[in-house]
């Protein structure tokens, strides 16, 4: 969905009873059946749900805070040269970046190499007597000084959150764009219930005891017909009550 967004499209707001649910746009594509005998036009509704966006944004911000916390904990052991400390801290940063679930360009990492001076006591025994004193050794340690968030990339990432694609072949004169998402919200349970029936008892498509592609397609189509029949029977019973 993120890769399919067209920012040049004019956005249409979706609202009902004064409440805004989101906004989006639509485009069409031509479809053809496998045997080539049937053609139809599909409408692709690209919709940004504000409720879905707010949930995804919270997850994103939480993940950003988690990554920043991990980065700030990076440090190296004390080594004898500044170059070695720089190499070690860069290796730690690169390793962490490879494990990130977010784009690494989102984080601008600044590190420093500090100089640490340690004093050691020494004692020398000579013929003329015992000499005591101390000497200093310099060490270097790399650590993270600051982590900044690239605001342009952050805003661009947030802009892509909350989008979903909905597909329908219902003509615009029957179901206009602004009403399509409202209709989906009100009837979503009907669609989800069908998938639930397909995956669980009494039909229970799992486990599959077939391996060939034609067998899998045939079984799926047969089970889908079973779901349709069950839904129709349920509807007739509800009408009759």
């Amino acid at each position: 969905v993120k890769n399919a967004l067209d920012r040049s499209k004019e956005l249409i707001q979706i609202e009902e009873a004064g409440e805004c649910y989101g906004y989006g746009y639509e485009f069409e594509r031509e479809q053809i059946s496998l045997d080539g005998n049937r053609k139809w036009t599909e409408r692709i509704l690209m919709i940004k749900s504000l409720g879905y966006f707010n949930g995804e944004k919270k997850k994103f911000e939480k993940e950003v805070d988690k990554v920043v916390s991990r980065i700030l904990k990076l440090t190296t052991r004390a080594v004898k040269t500044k170059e070695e400390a720089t190499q070690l801290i860069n290796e730690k940063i690169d390793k962490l970046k490879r494990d990130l679930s977010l784009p690494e360009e989102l984080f601008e990492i600044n590190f420093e190499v500090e100089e640490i001076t340690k004093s050691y006591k020494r004692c020398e025994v000579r013929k003329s007597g015992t000499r005591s004193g101390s000497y200093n050794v310099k060490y270097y340690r790399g650590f993270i000084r600051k982590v900044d968030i690239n605001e342009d990339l952050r805003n661009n990432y947030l802009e892509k959150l909350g989008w979903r694609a909905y597909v329908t072949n219902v003509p615009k004169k029957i179901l206009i764009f602004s009403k399509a998402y409202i209709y989906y919200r009100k009837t979503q349970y009907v669609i989800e219930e069908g998938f639930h029936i397909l995956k669980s008892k009494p039909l229970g498509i799992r486990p599959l005891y077939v391996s060939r592609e034609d067998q899998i397609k045939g079984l799926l189509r047969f089970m889908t017909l079973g779901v349709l029949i069950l839904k129709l029977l349920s509807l007739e019973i509800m009408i009759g009550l």
Side-chain angles (χ1 to χ4, degrees):
V1 173
K2 293 178 182 178
N3 296 328
L5 292 177
D6 186 351
R7 299 183 183 181
S8 65
K9 295 285 187 180
E10 181 180 355
L11 299 179
I12 303 171
Q13 189 163 300
I14 303 168
E15 60 181 358
E16 185 180 51
E19 182 179 358
C20 180
Y21 291 101
Y23 51 85
Y25 64 92
E26 74 170 278
F27 61 92
E28 296 181 349
R29 66 184 180 189
E30 300 299 322
Q31 295 289 76
I32 186 169
S33 61
L34 293 176
D35 57 13
N37 295 326
R38 293 181 61 248
K39 294 182 180 180
W40 68 95
T41 301
E42 279 187 349
R43 298 168 59 197
I44 314 300
L45 314 179
M46 305 295 292
I47 297 175
K48 182 164 187 172
S49 163
L50 296 183
Y52 181 48
F53 167 75
N54 290 330
E56 291 296 298
K57 182 181 178 182
K58 287 181 181 179
K59 292 180 183 178
F60 170 73
E61 298 290 0
K62 185 177 180 180
E63 185 64 22
V64 168
D65 292 340
K66 182 179 176 182
V67 171
V68 170
S69 178
R70 287 178 59 193
I71 295 173
L72 289 173
K73 291 178 181 178
L74 293 179
T75 184
T76 69
R77 67 181 188 276
V79 293
K80 293 183 178 180
T81 65
K82 187 175 182 179
E83 291 74 16
E84 186 180 359
T86 301
Q87 181 182 349
L88 288 174
I89 192 65
N90 276 320
E91 288 176 354
K92 285 181 174 287
I93 292 172
D94 291 340
K95 184 177 184 301
L96 185 142
K97 283 182 176 180
R98 289 194 295 269
D99 298 333
L100 293 181
S101 58
L102 297 173
E104 62 179 70
E105 296 81 6
L106 189 64
F107 305 95
E108 298 174 353
I109 305 171
N110 299 288
F111 69 86
E112 285 186 3
V113 175
E114 64 176 347
E115 183 181 290
I116 304 169
T117 302
K118 292 186 178 182
S119 296
Y120 297 91
K121 293 181 180 181
R122 65 181 174 185
C123 182
E124 295 181 357
V125 179
R126 298 186 177 182
K127 292 180 180 180
S128 58
T130 301
R131 295 177 59 187
S132 61
S134 63
Y135 65 96
N136 296 329
V137 177
K138 290 183 179 179
Y139 294 97
Y140 298 89
R141 182 179 68 91
F143 68 97
I144 304 300
R145 183 174 63 86
K146 185 174 63 169
V147 180
D148 293 321
I149 305 299
N150 188 312
E151 289 300 323
D152 290 336
L153 290 178
R154 175 183 177 276
N155 293 334
N156 184 55
Y157 192 91
L158 287 175
E159 187 179 341
K160 294 179 180 180
L161 293 181
W163 288 91
R164 282 176 171 168
Y166 300 86
V167 182
T168 181
N169 60 353
V170 180
K172 293 181 182 179
K173 61 182 180 181
I174 298 177
L175 187 65
I176 63 175
F177 175 86
S178 59
K179 299 297 182 182
Y181 181 65
I182 303 298
Y183 177 77
Y184 170 78
R185 283 175 59 91
K186 293 180 178 180
T187 61
Q188 180 182 7
Y189 74 95
V190 178
I191 301 171
E192 297 297 334
E193 186 181 23
F195 286 114
H196 179 72
I197 293 173
L198 187 63
K199 293 188 294 184
S200 60
K201 295 180 179 180
L203 291 178
I205 196 170
R206 295 176 296 181
L208 287 172
Y209 295 107
V210 292
S211 57
R212 296 203 320 265
E213 184 177 352
D214 60 331
Q215 292 176 327
I216 295 172
K217 286 182 179 179
L219 179 60
L220 286 172
R221 289 168 182 170
F222 179 73
M223 301 296 278
T224 303
L225 285 174
V227 172
L228 290 174
I229 293 171
L230 281 176
K231 296 293 291 182
L232 287 173
L233 286 174
S234 299
L235 181 60
E236 289 296 329
I237 293 172
M238 292 175 62
I239 294 174
L241 292 178

